[in-house]
Amino acid sequence: MVRQVRLGRWYLVAVGLIALTLLAALAMLGIERAVRVNALAETRAEATSQAAILAAGLESELNKFSLVPRVLAVDPEVAALLGGQSAGREVLNLRLAALAGQTNAAAIYLMDARGLTLASSNWDRPDSFIGSNYGFREYFSGASKRGTASEFALGTVSRRPGLYLAERVGPASAPLGVVAVKVEFDSLERKWRDAEDGVFVTDAGGIVLLASNPGWRFRTAEGSGANGQAVDPERNARRFGVAQPKRFDLPATGDASSPLRMIEKIQPIAPVGWELHLLADPAPRLSVALANGRLAGVIALALLGLAGAGAYLWQRQRQSRAGAQVAAQTALLREQLQQANRLATLGQITAGLGHEIRQPLAAMRVYAENGERLLAADRQTEAAANFDKIAQLAGRIGEITAEQLHFSRRSPEEPREIRLAEVIDGSLLLLRDQIRQKGLTLDRPAADLAATTVRARHVQLEQVLVNLLQNAVQACGEGGQIALAIAAEGNTVRLSVSDDGAGVPAELRETLFQPFVTSKSEGIGLGLAISHDIMRQLGGDLVHEATAAGARFTMVMPAA
């Protein structure tokens, strides 16, 4: 029944632990989902704000450069050179070079009505535009017709990509030429590369023109108007150097086992019909948020665990205090039971002790009466001998009574080193009369073995030996034999009490040291149980050993 209760209790504990584990797992999943949603929302909001800032900066840059060709288109020196006054060419070249340096333009140049370059800011460099004809460029034809035009393309000389802003010189009916500014965005792309996760700009057809990653340029962005198909392969090859632009897919981020999609925010660029795409990587913010969320969850679980542990420890302390009280009460009851056993044993041998005392008293009376007569007869030497015998007999009575008091006292003595001879002598002093009345023969250990020391409590050790000797006396018949033997084995000492009586019945050997087990009709079966308990308390044991005849009980004790 007790085992079933314990199993049921452990079953409930296991179910409770499993339930708590599931609740903790669900709580962690809920926390992770919440922080994930919050982190992604924060990343989107920050990406939207940053995209607007970058788009505004790019628009400002384009607006600044768009003013340059407009101003030059109405400049008198430009008109004069286009009108055939070549004398001002060198001065105009210098002005264009200075203006390009001030505005950070890649090139500023002037073309006549056929597209032939007459003046350029790079007039003195090997890649000078002077003499090159750009009549085939869309920005040239567009500006000639509409007055202003723009085109993003690779340079025919430098092969570097840039935006060409063009303005017509003269009226539409009779154009004199076109002024163009080439803007390159290398520095801007480097800033994007250093500061952002990913930025690219697409034109109206979805072609990537500018990018923080050079490998993305001139690809067709996902979801663009061109849908990844080239409208005019020849035109694309001329502008971008690629007849069929490859598809551009947004890069993934995060762990390879569970990649995340980059968050994309798009902002229009007003002057030229472009779109700026900002890619935000949610992985860093998400990992930090998840780590913080998990940490918060672990801290919460730890606090709950500490609270549970505190409650458990408090309960254990209560149980420990209750257990200590029970142990103290048990120890008190054990000591009381041992005391009662000693007194009961002493009661059984009291008659013999009375006989031990009566004989010396009678002898003392005789020696005293004889001593008086010897003194009266002036035989002082003989009288003194009688008085000496009286003193010896009085000492004998003192030893007996002292051993009685020693055996019956209730003393909380600590274990100490004890010679076994002391224990044997004290026990035999209490039982000598019973041994003599039955005519028993007692074999004692040799003096050197009796001097063996053990670590124990004297009163308890003597109580066990008296019980064993008394059982042996009762088991022996008239003229029987009792033997005491001592053997030292390593760290233990064995003191055996053997008799030639009837021995222990076979049916009692398994339960011999249990309370209320006895083969005596007048016994209650507590002597051996108490003796066994005492020896266990002393760090030893009490065992019954099989013999061919009689019985043998051995006290096992720790050596000193």
Side-chain angles (χ1 to χ4, degrees), residues 27 112 187 192 287 312 322 402 486 558:
D112 62 14
S187 61
W192 290 348
S287 62
Y312 175 75
I486 296 174

Side-chain angles (χ1 to χ4, degrees), residues 140-351:
F140 179 83
S141 58
S144 299
K145 295 177 182 178
R146 297 185 302 272
T148 184
S150 64
E151 180 186 9
F152 193 96
L154 290 172
T156 56
V157 177
S158 65
R159 305 306 295 172
R160 294 174 59 83
L163 175 64
Y164 296 87
L165 300 172
E167 192 77 19
R168 184 183 64 216
V169 182
S173 58
L176 299 176
V178 173
V179 177
V181 176
K182 182 183 180 183
V183 183
E184 294 179 357
F185 300 92
D186 294 347
S187 61
L188 184 62
E189 289 177 320
R190 281 195 298 271
K191 292 179 182 178
W192 290 348
R193 190 159 46 247
D194 296 337
E196 305 300 334
D197 296 324
V199 182
F200 62 94
V201 176
T202 59
D203 63 9
I207 302 298
V208 178
L209 304 179
L210 306 177
S212 57
N213 186 341
W216 299 347
R217 186 180 291 117
F218 301 142
R219 290 175 176 263
T220 302
E222 182 180 359
S224 66
N227 197 24
Q229 299 296 324
V231 176
D232 186 347
E234 184 178 352
R235 175 175 175 269
N236 287 338
R238 186 171 58 249
R239 290 183 62 197
F240 310 129
V242 179
Q244 182 69 40
K246 295 181 180 179
R247 184 183 181 86
F248 171 63
D249 295 320
L250 295 181
T253 183
D255 188 6
S257 60
S258 56
L260 295 170
R261 185 180 178 87
M262 297 283 280
I263 293 176
E264 181 182 17
K265 290 298 176 180
I266 303 174
Q267 285 288 331
I269 308 298
V272 288
W274 292 352
E275 287 183 339
L276 182 139
H277 302 249
L278 173 67
L279 301 180
D281 184 0
R285 186 186 296 271
L286 189 59
S287 62
V288 171
L290 288 175
N292 291 337
R294 289 168 183 165
L295 179 61
V298 169
I299 291 174
L301 291 176
L303 291 176
L304 289 175
L306 287 175
Y312 175 75
L313 290 176
W314 178 75
Q315 182 67 21
R316 287 295 301 272
Q317 287 177 353
R318 285 189 59 189
Q319 294 177 353
S320 178
R321 287 194 294 268
Q325 292 177 354
V326 171
Q329 293 175 354
T330 302
L332 179 60
L333 292 174
R334 180 184 287 114
E335 176 60 28
Q336 290 174 346
L337 187 61
Q338 292 176 9
Q339 177 71 5
N341 176 258
R342 284 197 295 272
L343 294 177
T345 302
L346 192 59
Q348 293 175 5
I349 62 178
T350 297

